[in-house]
Amino acid sequence: MRFLAKSFEIPTLLVLGLSLGAGAGFGVHEMLKPTLVTIEGDPSAYMMDAEAAFEKYETAKRKGTPLETALEPAEMISVAHTLFDAEEYSYCEGIGVSRAMGLVDQGIQSWKVRDKDRYFEESNSFSSFVALYNRMYQEGDSTTKYWGNTPNYGGNTPEEVSNEQYASEMGRQVSESIVYLVSPKTDSPVDLSGKGLSAIKKHDGGYTVDFEADPASSTLRYVHQMKTISNLKEFPSFDYVHLTYELDEDLNLLYFRNYESYRATLASGIGSTCEGSMTTVFRSVGPGEAAIPLPSDPSIAYPSDEAALLQKYGY
């Protein structure tokens, strides 16, 4: 009976990693100690002063100061998202993959479009065990959700909520390009991921920015999304979060990878450790170049994996 109970819970564990700019696919395996500590706190206490970071960026550009000496890693990332969020027409495409208990691959796909004051997001997660196909539309003060388990998005019953309610459920509004809290206050002094501490590397054509995040404070918004889409007893507890950004010489977003490991407990008390990664590409475009689909429209043709995604965009 104990084995059957675990088999029943596996599909729920597989869907823990749906996000954009922050989404990831995760592998799942059983833990011996399922009880975890709930992480709570005020996200506003850990947010970046984006305006101050952007002022430092503009001052450095005006004076000709090398950006890698004028800005810290968290500030570079903040500027990159500020520049991207200022674009009236843009889109993102993300691909991730997970391995559940070393046996099952879980695919993660994401697509996001901005058309001036209208925003769209699609998040798909699927394997032989479970499938989620979700679309969200934000316009004005409300967000409409089309959530289901098949790619027939238009066949899902729409649910309209306020943007504030959606953010309370999912950690951010559809219009926001990142769910993590990236700031000097969330910069980890310890290399928990094994991928190195936060650093800026200048190279021909731009910068590589690594950010080793404090796993508790950087995910204070993200955990709300994870609890919403899965049958979790409490917020998950992260072991590490590492972000690697590729930016051009003016700090425009090209793409980034997120690497994560966390522990989660289902409502039944079964606990698991999950880990994985996702790659997201950012593009600024002209009017009509990335139109928002209707709920009844099919999805885009996603690349087969993260390497194919980067190849699609010439990286």
Side-chain angles (χ1 to χ4, degrees):
M1 294 300 294
R2 189 166 181 266
F3 174 77
L4 292 176
K6 289 181 182 176
S7 297
F8 177 77
E9 298 290 0
I10 287 173
T12 304
L13 291 169
L14 289 174
V15 301
L16 290 171
L18 280 170
S19 70
L20 177 64
F26 299 94
V28 181
H29 62 82
E30 181 188 354
M31 289 177 59
L32 295 177
K33 297 180 180 180
T35 302
L36 306 175
V37 177
T38 300
I39 300 173
E40 296 180 350
D42 180 7
S44 65
Y46 298 94
M47 288 183 175
M48 167 67 73
D49 186 341
E51 184 176 344
F54 200 76
E55 287 179 359
K56 288 181 67 175
Y57 164 73
E58 290 187 312
T59 298
K61 292 277 286 184
R62 185 173 61 254
K63 294 183 176 181
T65 306
L67 296 178
E68 66 272 22
T69 62
L71 301 172
E72 298 297 323
E75 293 173 324
M76 272 202 172
I77 292 172
S78 175
V79 169
H81 280 283
T82 296
L83 290 170
F84 184 77
D85 290 346
E87 297 292 337
E88 291 189 326
Y89 305 95
S90 63
Y91 71 92
C92 312
E93 185 175 354
I95 295 290
V97 66
S98 67
R99 177 148 291 169
M101 302 180 72
L103 298 175
V104 178
D105 285 341
Q106 179 82 3
I108 307 293
Q109 302 170 337
S110 62
W111 176 31
K112 189 171 179 178
V113 180
R114 178 181 181 182
D115 183 356
K116 296 193 73 172
D117 295 327
R118 299 189 303 132
Y119 302 86
F120 161 81
E121 184 173 348
E122 176 180 295
S123 293
N124 306 323
S125 178
F126 48 87
S127 72
S128 56
F129 280 106
V130 66
L132 291 177
Y133 291 88
N134 300 336
R135 279 184 172 177
M136 291 74 70
Y137 297 79
Q138 177 184 327
E139 186 170 4
D141 297 326
S142 65
T143 298
T144 303
K145 303 183 291 185
Y146 292 80
W147 288 9
N149 55 15
T150 74
N152 178 26
Y153 305 97
N156 300 329
T157 301
E159 179 185 1
E160 184 175 343
V161 298
S162 68
N163 295 336
E164 291 73 19
Q165 180 179 338
Y166 181 84
S168 70
E169 298 172 349
M170 300 295 285
R172 61 167 174 83
Q173 296 185 21
V174 176
S175 55
E176 296 180 79
S177 58
I178 185 171
V179 71
Y180 302 102
L181 296 172
V182 176
S183 76
K185 294 181 180 179
T186 64
D187 194 338
S188 174
V190 181
D191 179 10
L192 299 171
S193 68
K195 297 185 179 297
L197 295 175
S198 299
I200 298 170
K201 298 176 183 177
K202 178 76 168 67
H203 53 75
D204 290 343
Y207 301 87
T208 298
V209 183
D210 281 286
F211 188 76
E212 180 75 3
D214 176 82
S217 58
S218 69
T219 59
L220 284 172
R221 299 200 309 174
Y222 185 24
V223 294
H224 288 272
Q225 174 183 310
M226 299 173 75
K227 189 174 181 181
T228 294
I229 63 173
S230 299
N231 186 27
L232 297 187
K233 181 179 181 180
E234 56 199 11
F235 291 141
S237 175
F238 279 77
D239 295 312
Y240 67 76
V241 172
H242 189 93
L243 311 177
T244 299
Y245 278 77
E246 294 296 335
L247 312 176
D248 72 11
E249 59 186 7
D250 294 317
L251 304 192
N252 291 300
L253 272 170
L254 302 178
Y255 65 91
F256 88 95
R257 291 188 174 101
N258 56 295
Y259 306 89
E260 306 172 354
S261 175
Y262 65 87
R263 293 166 289 151
T265 301
L266 296 169
S268 64
I270 295 176
S272 287
T273 293
C274 312
E275 57 183 6
S277 68
M278 188 166 185
T279 301
T280 304
V281 175
F282 297 80
R283 278 290 185 270
S284 299
V285 295
E289 290 186 56
I292 292 176
L294 298 172
S296 58
D297 289 342
S299 181
I300 60 173
Y302 288 99
S304 57
D305 54 32
E306 295 174 78
L309 173 68
L310 292 178
Q311 185 177 21
K312 173 181 177 179
Y313 290 98
Y315 298 121

